mmCIF file of all heavy atoms in Angstrom:
data_model
loop_
_atom_site.group_PDB
_atom_site.id
_atom_site.type_symbol
_atom_site.label_atom_id
_atom_site.label_comp_id
_atom_site.label_asym_id
_atom_site.label_seq_id
_atom_site.Cartn_x
_atom_site.Cartn_y
_atom_site.Cartn_z
ATOM 1 N N SER A 117 -25.237 7.986 34.443
ATOM 2 C CA SER A 117 -26.628 8.420 34.524
ATOM 3 C C SER A 117 -26.807 9.773 33.870
ATOM 4 O O SER A 117 -25.895 10.570 33.758
ATOM 5 C CB SER A 117 -27.040 8.534 36.014
ATOM 6 O OG SER A 117 -28.367 9.050 36.140
ATOM 7 N N ASN A 118 -28.061 10.025 33.419
ATOM 8 C CA ASN A 118 -28.486 11.296 32.823
ATOM 9 C C ASN A 118 -29.434 11.976 33.809
ATOM 10 O O ASN A 118 -29.980 13.061 33.471
ATOM 11 C CB ASN A 118 -29.201 10.998 31.480
ATOM 12 C CG ASN A 118 -29.468 12.250 30.704
ATOM 13 O OD1 ASN A 118 -28.670 13.202 30.684
ATOM 14 N ND2 ASN A 118 -30.611 12.284 30.048
ATOM 15 N N GLN A 119 -29.617 11.420 34.999
ATOM 16 C CA GLN A 119 -30.627 11.963 35.896
ATOM 17 C C GLN A 119 -30.060 13.040 36.797
ATOM 18 O O GLN A 119 -28.901 13.013 37.177
ATOM 19 C CB GLN A 119 -31.145 10.816 36.812
ATOM 20 C CG GLN A 119 -31.814 9.700 36.047
ATOM 21 C CD GLN A 119 -33.040 10.184 35.250
ATOM 22 O OE1 GLN A 119 -33.848 10.915 35.804
ATOM 23 N NE2 GLN A 119 -33.117 9.797 34.010
ATOM 24 N N LEU A 120 -30.909 14.023 37.104
ATOM 25 C CA LEU A 120 -30.532 15.108 38.023
ATOM 26 C C LEU A 120 -30.211 14.516 39.423
ATOM 27 O O LEU A 120 -30.833 13.556 39.872
ATOM 28 C CB LEU A 120 -31.678 16.124 38.180
ATOM 29 C CG LEU A 120 -31.720 17.247 37.099
ATOM 30 C CD1 LEU A 120 -32.025 16.659 35.700
ATOM 31 C CD2 LEU A 120 -32.786 18.277 37.489
ATOM 32 N N ASN A 121 -29.226 15.102 40.018
ATOM 33 C CA ASN A 121 -28.813 14.738 41.399
ATOM 34 C C ASN A 121 -28.244 13.355 41.535
ATOM 35 O O ASN A 121 -28.059 12.814 42.635
ATOM 36 C CB ASN A 121 -29.953 14.912 42.408
ATOM 37 C CG ASN A 121 -30.539 16.324 42.430
ATOM 38 O OD1 ASN A 121 -29.775 17.279 42.472
ATOM 39 N ND2 ASN A 121 -31.843 16.411 42.385
ATOM 40 N N SER A 122 -27.902 12.692 40.413
ATOM 41 C CA SER A 122 -27.359 11.321 40.472
ATOM 42 C C SER A 122 -25.896 11.358 40.891
ATOM 43 O O SER A 122 -25.378 10.371 41.378
ATOM 44 C CB SER A 122 -27.488 10.640 39.120
ATOM 45 O OG SER A 122 -26.679 11.272 38.148
ATOM 46 N N ARG A 123 -25.204 12.443 40.618
ATOM 47 C CA ARG A 123 -23.761 12.593 40.863
ATOM 48 C C ARG A 123 -22.948 11.515 40.174
ATOM 49 O O ARG A 123 -21.895 11.076 40.691
ATOM 50 C CB ARG A 123 -23.468 12.604 42.402
ATOM 51 C CG ARG A 123 -24.093 13.786 43.096
ATOM 52 C CD ARG A 123 -23.739 13.939 44.552
ATOM 53 N NE ARG A 123 -24.453 15.033 45.189
ATOM 54 C CZ ARG A 123 -24.350 15.351 46.462
ATOM 55 N NH1 ARG A 123 -23.550 14.633 47.246
ATOM 56 N NH2 ARG A 123 -25.046 16.336 46.961
ATOM 57 N N GLN A 124 -23.442 11.099 39.011
ATOM 58 C CA GLN A 124 -22.745 10.135 38.177
ATOM 59 C C GLN A 124 -22.303 10.824 36.872
ATOM 60 O O GLN A 124 -22.920 11.804 36.445
ATOM 61 C CB GLN A 124 -23.637 8.982 37.868
ATOM 62 C CG GLN A 124 -23.979 8.075 39.052
ATOM 63 C CD GLN A 124 -24.822 6.870 38.691
ATOM 64 O OE1 GLN A 124 -24.864 6.441 37.533
ATOM 65 N NE2 GLN A 124 -25.549 6.336 39.665
ATOM 66 N N SER A 125 -21.253 10.309 36.286
ATOM 67 C CA SER A 125 -20.834 10.800 34.946
ATOM 68 C C SER A 125 -21.839 10.317 33.910
ATOM 69 O O SER A 125 -22.637 9.380 34.148
ATOM 70 C CB SER A 125 -19.474 10.185 34.637
ATOM 71 O OG SER A 125 -18.501 10.685 35.560
ATOM 72 N N SER A 126 -21.838 10.986 32.804
ATOM 73 C CA SER A 126 -22.715 10.646 31.679
ATOM 74 C C SER A 126 -21.844 10.363 30.451
ATOM 75 O O SER A 126 -20.850 11.008 30.215
ATOM 76 C CB SER A 126 -23.644 11.856 31.335
ATOM 77 O OG SER A 126 -24.496 12.094 32.428
ATOM 78 N N LEU A 127 -22.291 9.372 29.670
ATOM 79 C CA LEU A 127 -21.586 8.995 28.422
ATOM 80 C C LEU A 127 -22.174 9.709 27.252
ATOM 81 O O LEU A 127 -23.190 10.428 27.403
ATOM 82 C CB LEU A 127 -21.673 7.452 28.252
ATOM 83 C CG LEU A 127 -21.092 6.628 29.412
ATOM 84 C CD1 LEU A 127 -21.284 5.117 29.037
ATOM 85 C CD2 LEU A 127 -19.663 6.946 29.634
ATOM 86 N N GLY A 128 -21.617 9.529 26.052
ATOM 87 C CA GLY A 128 -22.182 10.065 24.836
ATOM 88 C C GLY A 128 -21.409 11.233 24.288
ATOM 89 O O GLY A 128 -20.263 11.505 24.610
ATOM 90 N N VAL A 129 -22.113 11.979 23.389
ATOM 91 C CA VAL A 129 -21.508 13.044 22.615
ATOM 92 C C VAL A 129 -21.928 14.392 23.156
ATOM 93 O O VAL A 129 -23.144 14.601 23.406
ATOM 94 C CB VAL A 129 -21.866 12.893 21.126
ATOM 95 C CG1 VAL A 129 -21.160 13.948 20.293
ATOM 96 C CG2 VAL A 129 -21.517 11.521 20.616
ATOM 97 N N TYR A 130 -21.023 15.301 23.279
ATOM 98 C CA TYR A 130 -21.265 16.675 23.735
ATOM 99 C C TYR A 130 -20.731 17.703 22.756
ATOM 100 O O TYR A 130 -19.765 17.399 22.036
ATOM 101 C CB TYR A 130 -20.587 16.946 25.071
ATOM 102 C CG TYR A 130 -20.967 16.075 26.240
ATOM 103 C CD1 TYR A 130 -20.426 14.808 26.441
ATOM 104 C CD2 TYR A 130 -21.862 16.541 27.218
ATOM 105 C CE1 TYR A 130 -20.752 14.050 27.524
ATOM 106 C CE2 TYR A 130 -22.209 15.794 28.294
ATOM 107 C CZ TYR A 130 -21.640 14.504 28.453
ATOM 108 O OH TYR A 130 -21.958 13.746 29.564
ATOM 109 N N ARG A 131 -21.343 18.842 22.754
ATOM 110 C CA ARG A 131 -20.778 20.009 22.048
ATOM 111 C C ARG A 131 -20.389 21.012 23.146
ATOM 112 O O ARG A 131 -21.180 21.312 24.020
ATOM 113 C CB ARG A 131 -21.749 20.615 21.052
ATOM 114 C CG ARG A 131 -21.063 21.795 20.272
ATOM 115 C CD ARG A 131 -22.109 22.536 19.431
ATOM 116 N NE ARG A 131 -22.696 21.742 18.349
ATOM 117 C CZ ARG A 131 -23.958 21.362 18.280
ATOM 118 N NH1 ARG A 131 -24.809 21.700 19.256
ATOM 119 N NH2 ARG A 131 -24.386 20.638 17.303
ATOM 120 N N THR A 132 -19.176 21.514 23.099
ATOM 121 C CA THR A 132 -18.727 22.486 24.043
ATOM 122 C C THR A 132 -19.383 23.818 23.816
ATOM 123 O O THR A 132 -19.717 24.186 22.660
ATOM 124 C CB THR A 132 -17.212 22.660 24.083
ATOM 125 O OG1 THR A 132 -16.794 23.214 22.818
ATOM 126 C CG2 THR A 132 -16.497 21.344 24.279
#
Side-chain angles (χ1 to χ4, degrees):
S117 176
N118 189 38
Q119 299 300 312
L120 274 65
N121 303 315
S122 67
R123 297 186 184 178
Q124 293 182 22
S125 296
S126 298
L127 302 179
V129 184
Y130 299 83
R131 184 189 293 113
T132 65

